[in-house]
PDB file of all heavy atoms in Angstrom:
ATOM      1  N   ARG A  58       2.668  77.082 -29.797  1.00 95.00           N
ATOM      2  CA  ARG A  58       2.196  76.117 -28.811  1.00 95.00           C
ATOM      3  C   ARG A  58       2.693  74.691 -29.125  1.00 95.00           C
ATOM      4  O   ARG A  58       2.827  73.867 -28.224  1.00 95.00           O
ATOM      5  CB  ARG A  58       0.665  76.094 -28.724  1.00 95.00           C
ATOM      6  CG  ARG A  58       0.090  77.291 -28.014  1.00 95.00           C
ATOM      7  CD  ARG A  58       0.509  77.267 -26.559  1.00 95.00           C
ATOM      8  NE  ARG A  58       0.009  78.376 -25.780  1.00 95.00           N
ATOM      9  CZ  ARG A  58       0.492  79.634 -25.805  1.00 95.00           C
ATOM     10  NH1 ARG A  58       1.530  79.905 -26.565  1.00 95.00           N
ATOM     11  NH2 ARG A  58      -0.028  80.566 -25.043  1.00 95.00           N
ATOM     12  N   PHE A  59       2.949  74.437 -30.382  1.00 94.00           N
ATOM     13  CA  PHE A  59       3.433  73.096 -30.738  1.00 94.00           C
ATOM     14  C   PHE A  59       4.787  72.796 -30.067  1.00 94.00           C
ATOM     15  O   PHE A  59       5.144  71.636 -29.919  1.00 94.00           O
ATOM     16  CB  PHE A  59       3.568  72.936 -32.266  1.00 94.00           C
ATOM     17  CG  PHE A  59       2.350  72.325 -32.902  1.00 94.00           C
ATOM     18  CD1 PHE A  59       1.500  73.060 -33.715  1.00 94.00           C
ATOM     19  CD2 PHE A  59       2.032  70.995 -32.671  1.00 94.00           C
ATOM     20  CE1 PHE A  59       0.381  72.491 -34.309  1.00 94.00           C
ATOM     21  CE2 PHE A  59       0.890  70.411 -33.247  1.00 94.00           C
ATOM     22  CZ  PHE A  59       0.069  71.168 -34.057  1.00 94.00           C
ATOM     23  N   HIS A 146     -22.096  67.595 -13.156  1.00 92.00           N
ATOM     24  CA  HIS A 146     -21.425  67.463 -11.870  1.00 92.00           C
ATOM     25  C   HIS A 146     -22.131  66.401 -11.047  1.00 92.00           C
ATOM     26  O   HIS A 146     -21.646  65.888 -10.081  1.00 92.00           O
ATOM     27  CB  HIS A 146     -21.557  68.848 -11.200  1.00 92.00           C
ATOM     28  CG  HIS A 146     -20.624  69.055 -10.074  1.00 92.00           C
ATOM     29  ND1 HIS A 146     -19.262  69.132 -10.253  1.00 92.00           N
ATOM     30  CD2 HIS A 146     -20.836  69.194  -8.743  1.00 92.00           C
ATOM     31  CE1 HIS A 146     -18.687  69.321  -9.081  1.00 92.00           C
ATOM     32  NE2 HIS A 146     -19.626  69.356  -8.159  1.00 92.00           N
ATOM     33  N   ASP A 449     -21.128  61.866   5.357  1.00 90.00           N
ATOM     34  CA  ASP A 449     -20.115  61.293   6.256  1.00 90.00           C
ATOM     35  C   ASP A 449     -18.885  62.208   6.233  1.00 90.00           C
ATOM     36  O   ASP A 449     -18.182  62.262   5.240  1.00 90.00           O
ATOM     37  CB  ASP A 449     -19.794  59.890   5.759  1.00 90.00           C
ATOM     38  CG  ASP A 449     -18.509  59.345   6.328  1.00 90.00           C
ATOM     39  OD1 ASP A 449     -17.984  59.961   7.258  1.00 90.00           O
ATOM     40  OD2 ASP A 449     -18.044  58.304   5.848  1.00 90.00           O
TER      41      ASP A 449
END
Side-chain angles (χ1 to χ4, degrees):
R58 286 295 179 282
F59 265 111
H146 197 66
D449 164 11

